[in-house]
Amino acid sequence: MSNAQKALVMAAGIFLAIALITIAVVLFTSAQEATKTAQNNFSGIQTELSQTAFTVYDNTLVSGSQVVNALRKFNDQDQFGIQVITGKNPAGQWYGKVINIGVPVDSITYGSVVGAAPGKLADAIDEADVDYVNPSGKFKAQLVKDSSNVIRGIVFLQH
Protein backbone atom coordinates (compact mmCIF):
# COMPACT_ATOMS: atom_id res chain seq x y z
CA MET A 1 0.00 0.00 0.00
CA SER A 2 1.15 3.45 -0.79
CA ASN A 3 1.28 6.27 1.66
CA ALA A 4 -1.76 7.91 0.06
CA GLN A 5 -3.88 4.80 0.57
CA LYS A 6 -2.73 4.49 4.17
CA ALA A 7 -3.63 8.13 4.75
CA LEU A 8 -7.10 7.61 3.23
CA VAL A 9 -7.73 4.51 5.36
CA MET A 10 -6.56 6.35 8.48
CA ALA A 11 -8.75 9.37 7.64
CA ALA A 12 -11.75 7.08 7.06
CA GLY A 13 -11.09 5.39 10.42
CA ILE A 14 -10.90 8.73 12.21
CA PHE A 15 -14.08 9.89 10.45
CA LEU A 16 -15.93 6.71 11.52
CA ALA A 17 -14.68 7.07 15.09
CA ILE A 18 -15.90 10.68 15.23
CA ALA A 19 -19.26 9.65 13.72
CA LEU A 20 -19.68 6.87 16.30
CA ILE A 21 -18.78 9.20 19.17
CA THR A 22 -21.27 11.80 17.86
CA ILE A 23 -24.04 9.19 17.61
CA ALA A 24 -23.29 7.99 21.15
CA VAL A 25 -23.42 11.54 22.53
CA VAL A 26 -26.73 12.26 20.76
CA LEU A 27 -28.26 9.01 22.03
CA PHE A 28 -27.01 9.67 25.56
CA THR A 29 -28.45 13.22 25.54
CA SER A 30 -31.86 12.08 24.30
CA ALA A 31 -31.89 9.20 26.79
CA GLN A 32 -31.04 11.64 29.57
CA GLU A 33 -34.00 13.86 28.61
CA ALA A 34 -36.31 10.84 28.47
CA THR A 35 -35.07 9.77 31.91
CA LYS A 36 -35.84 13.23 33.33
CA THR A 37 -39.34 13.16 31.82
CA ALA A 38 -39.98 9.67 33.21
CA GLN A 39 -38.70 10.74 36.62
CA ASN A 40 -41.04 13.76 36.66
CA ASN A 41 -43.98 11.57 35.63
CA PHE A 42 -43.13 9.05 38.34
CA SER A 43 -42.97 11.83 40.92
CA GLY A 44 -46.42 13.04 39.90
CA ILE A 45 -47.86 9.52 40.09
CA GLN A 46 -46.27 9.01 43.49
CA THR A 47 -47.85 12.24 44.79
CA GLU A 48 -51.25 11.18 43.46
CA LEU A 49 -50.96 7.75 45.05
CA SER A 50 -49.96 9.22 48.40
CA GLN A 51 -53.10 11.36 48.37
CA THR A 52 -55.55 8.69 47.17
CA ALA A 53 -56.07 7.51 50.75
CA PHE A 54 -57.69 10.87 51.43
CA THR A 55 -59.83 11.28 48.29
CA VAL A 56 -62.61 9.26 49.93
CA TYR A 57 -63.02 12.19 52.35
CA ASP A 58 -63.00 15.00 49.79
CA ASN A 59 -66.34 16.82 50.30
CA THR A 60 -68.30 13.62 50.87
CA LEU A 61 -70.90 12.47 53.35
CA VAL A 62 -69.62 9.62 55.55
CA SER A 63 -70.95 7.65 58.48
CA GLY A 64 -69.74 7.93 62.06
CA SER A 65 -68.14 4.49 61.80
CA GLN A 66 -66.08 5.75 58.85
CA VAL A 67 -65.02 8.72 60.97
CA VAL A 68 -63.83 6.39 63.74
CA ASN A 69 -62.02 4.25 61.15
CA ALA A 70 -60.30 7.39 59.81
CA LEU A 71 -59.24 8.27 63.37
CA ARG A 72 -57.71 4.81 63.76
CA LYS A 73 -56.09 4.85 60.33
CA PHE A 74 -54.54 8.32 60.36
CA ASN A 75 -53.95 8.88 64.08
CA ASP A 76 -50.26 7.92 63.87
CA GLN A 77 -49.43 10.04 60.83
CA ASP A 78 -46.90 12.79 61.35
CA GLN A 79 -48.00 16.33 60.41
CA PHE A 80 -51.66 15.32 60.06
CA GLY A 81 -54.76 16.06 62.11
CA ILE A 82 -58.45 15.21 62.19
CA GLN A 83 -61.11 17.45 63.66
CA VAL A 84 -64.48 15.96 64.57
CA ILE A 85 -67.35 18.37 65.20
CA THR A 86 -70.38 16.64 66.74
CA GLY A 87 -73.78 17.78 67.92
CA LYS A 88 -72.61 17.46 71.54
CA ASN A 89 -69.33 19.28 70.90
CA PRO A 90 -69.84 22.09 68.36
CA ALA A 91 -66.33 23.42 69.06
CA GLY A 92 -64.93 20.11 67.82
CA GLN A 93 -62.02 17.98 68.93
CA TRP A 94 -58.66 17.51 67.20
CA TYR A 95 -56.93 14.14 66.96
CA GLY A 96 -53.31 13.55 65.98
CA LYS A 97 -52.15 17.12 65.38
CA VAL A 98 -53.95 20.46 65.62
CA ILE A 99 -54.11 22.12 62.19
CA ASN A 100 -54.49 25.88 61.72
CA ILE A 101 -57.85 26.43 59.99
CA GLY A 102 -58.77 29.63 61.84
CA VAL A 103 -57.25 31.89 59.17
CA PRO A 104 -58.41 32.54 55.58
CA VAL A 105 -57.81 29.66 53.17
CA ASP A 106 -55.47 31.74 51.01
CA SER A 107 -53.31 32.61 54.03
CA ILE A 108 -49.79 31.19 54.09
CA THR A 109 -50.36 29.69 57.56
CA TYR A 110 -53.64 27.95 56.66
CA GLY A 111 -53.23 24.21 57.06
CA SER A 112 -50.02 24.43 59.06
CA VAL A 113 -49.49 22.15 62.04
CA VAL A 114 -49.90 24.00 65.34
CA GLY A 115 -49.05 21.20 67.78
CA ALA A 116 -50.14 17.93 69.33
CA ALA A 117 -53.89 17.35 69.59
CA PRO A 118 -55.60 16.56 72.90
CA GLY A 119 -58.19 14.16 71.45
CA LYS A 120 -58.07 10.46 72.27
CA LEU A 121 -59.64 7.66 70.28
CA ALA A 122 -61.04 6.19 73.51
CA ASP A 123 -63.15 9.36 73.98
CA ALA A 124 -64.55 9.11 70.45
CA ILE A 125 -65.92 5.62 71.12
CA ASP A 126 -67.11 6.27 74.70
CA GLU A 127 -70.86 6.99 74.62
CA ALA A 128 -70.69 8.99 77.86
CA ASP A 129 -68.01 11.37 76.55
CA VAL A 130 -68.80 14.72 74.90
CA ASP A 131 -66.53 13.74 71.96
CA TYR A 132 -68.47 10.52 71.25
CA VAL A 133 -68.86 9.76 67.54
CA ASN A 134 -72.17 8.02 66.84
CA PRO A 135 -71.40 5.20 64.35
CA SER A 136 -74.72 5.72 62.59
CA GLY A 137 -74.38 9.53 62.45
CA LYS A 138 -73.73 11.36 59.20
CA PHE A 139 -70.69 13.61 58.81
CA LYS A 140 -69.63 15.97 56.04
CA ALA A 141 -65.92 15.43 55.36
CA GLN A 142 -63.62 18.17 54.11
CA LEU A 143 -59.89 17.99 53.41
CA VAL A 144 -57.50 20.62 54.76
CA LYS A 145 -54.55 21.48 52.50
CA ASP A 146 -51.63 23.72 53.34
CA SER A 147 -50.16 26.44 51.11
CA SER A 148 -48.09 23.77 49.31
CA ASN A 149 -51.27 21.86 48.43
CA VAL A 150 -50.32 18.99 50.75
CA ILE A 151 -53.21 17.38 52.63
CA ARG A 152 -52.68 18.12 56.33
CA GLY A 153 -56.01 17.14 57.80
CA ILE A 154 -59.68 16.23 57.60
CA VAL A 155 -62.59 18.03 59.23
CA PHE A 156 -65.71 15.96 59.94
CA LEU A 157 -68.86 18.01 60.63
CA GLN A 158 -71.90 16.12 61.90
CA HIS A 159 -75.16 16.71 60.03
Side-chain angles (χ1 to χ4, degrees), residues 36-53:
K36 285 181 185 176
T37 303
Q39 192 174 19
N40 288 340
N41 288 343
F42 180 73
S43 177
I45 290 169
Q46 190 175 17
T47 302
E48 282 181 39
L49 286 176
S50 70
Q51 295 187 355
T52 55

Side-chain angles (χ1 to χ4, degrees), residues 34-117:
T35 302
K36 285 181 185 176
T37 303
Q39 192 174 19
N40 288 340
N41 288 343
F42 180 73
S43 177
I45 290 169
Q46 190 175 17
T47 302
E48 282 181 39
L49 286 176
S50 70
Q51 295 187 355
T52 55
F54 305 112
T55 56
V56 173
Y57 306 106
D58 192 12
N59 291 321
T60 58
L61 199 61
V62 297
S63 70
S65 61
Q66 288 175 300
V67 172
V68 173
N69 286 340
L71 289 173
R72 286 187 180 117
K73 184 176 183 180
F74 302 122
N75 199 27
D76 298 348
Q77 280 199 342
D78 193 32
Q79 305 297 311
F80 189 81
I82 297 176
Q83 184 183 36
V84 181
I85 302 170
T86 62
K88 281 184 169 182
N89 187 1
Q93 182 63 272
W94 281 99
Y95 299 86
K97 303 286 185 201
V98 176
I99 308 297
N100 185 6
I101 59 172
V103 295
V105 176
D106 58 349
S107 170
I108 197 163
T109 59
Y110 182 84
S112 61
V113 176
V114 177

